[in-house]
Amino acid sequence: MEFDYVIAGGGSAGSVLAARLSEDPSVSVCLVEAGSEGRDPITRAPAAVGLTASINKRTNWAFKSEPQPALNNRPGYQPRGKALGGSSAINAMLYVRGHPSDYDHWAESGAKGWAYADVLPYFKKSEDHYAGADDIHGSGGEWRVERQRLSWEILDAFRAVAH
């Protein structure tokens, strides 16, 4: 078979890219993912994050870093999703962008185009935030961001300190 585009990796970015490219009916797009469809019950239950991020080799590449001096020369564990949805399939259904200062630091260190102001429009374009669009959120994008549906005292306390 021949395709106009072949995208390796069905994680969040690869899936969005494939969806956007396939909006043009004149092109053909092939999305290749090494892992599962991400429909396992274990990947669809946020409370199972301990299993998906540790032992489930079907949905987790379970990489290890090189030995790290700051870890007494032990390797660091790097769980990475191996399923449609990528690491979003194993991260307890959290939507996390990173802190604006992280992006600004990258840009200051030479990563031109990676300042927060540069990447924010792309986050907003990809997002379908439950409260609609505002200065930092988008609506109508591929990533549906929902309000937390369950309330536990510990979760509410965590959210309060995170704001």
Side-chain angles (χ1 to χ4, degrees):
M1 297 181 80
E2 290 187 20
F3 299 95
D4 296 304
Y5 300 97
V6 175
I7 299 168
S12 299
S15 296
V16 167
L17 180 59
R20 289 186 184 166
L21 289 170
S22 66
E23 289 173 0
D24 180 348
S26 70
V27 301
S28 59
V29 179
C30 176
L31 176 64
V32 179
E33 170 56 49
S36 71
E37 290 183 20
R39 296 179 186 266
D40 309 49
I42 200 168
T43 62
R44 299 175 71 79
V49 69
L51 297 175
T52 59
S54 62
I55 62 170
N56 187 355
K57 300 286 183 163
R58 179 176 158 93
T59 58
N60 184 356
W61 288 103
F63 294 132
K64 290 190 177 183
S65 72
E66 292 296 316
Q68 301 295 307
L71 296 175
N72 200 21
N73 289 319
R74 291 174 294 160
Y77 177 60
Q78 303 296 315
R80 302 304 303 156
K82 185 170 93 174
L84 282 177
S87 293
S88 293
I90 64 167
N91 75 352
M93 299 180 186
L94 297 174
Y95 175 69
V96 181
R97 290 184 185 168
H99 196 276
S101 65
D102 293 334
Y103 297 98
D104 292 341
H105 176 71
W106 294 340
E108 290 164 7
S109 299
K112 185 178 180 199
W114 279 92
Y116 183 69
D118 298 326
V119 299
L120 180 60
Y122 297 101
F123 284 128
K124 290 174 68 172
K125 182 177 181 180
S126 300
E127 192 176 83
D128 188 14
H129 196 270
Y130 68 89
D134 60 23
D135 291 344
I136 61 169
H137 296 292
S139 64
E142 298 85 357
W143 295 333
R144 179 75 183 144
V145 180
E146 296 282 348
R147 178 185 295 276
Q148 178 181 322
R149 295 181 187 166
L150 111 114
S151 181
W152 293 344
E153 188 175 328
I154 189 71
L155 296 178
D156 296 340
F158 180 80
R159 184 178 61 241
V161 299
H163 281 152

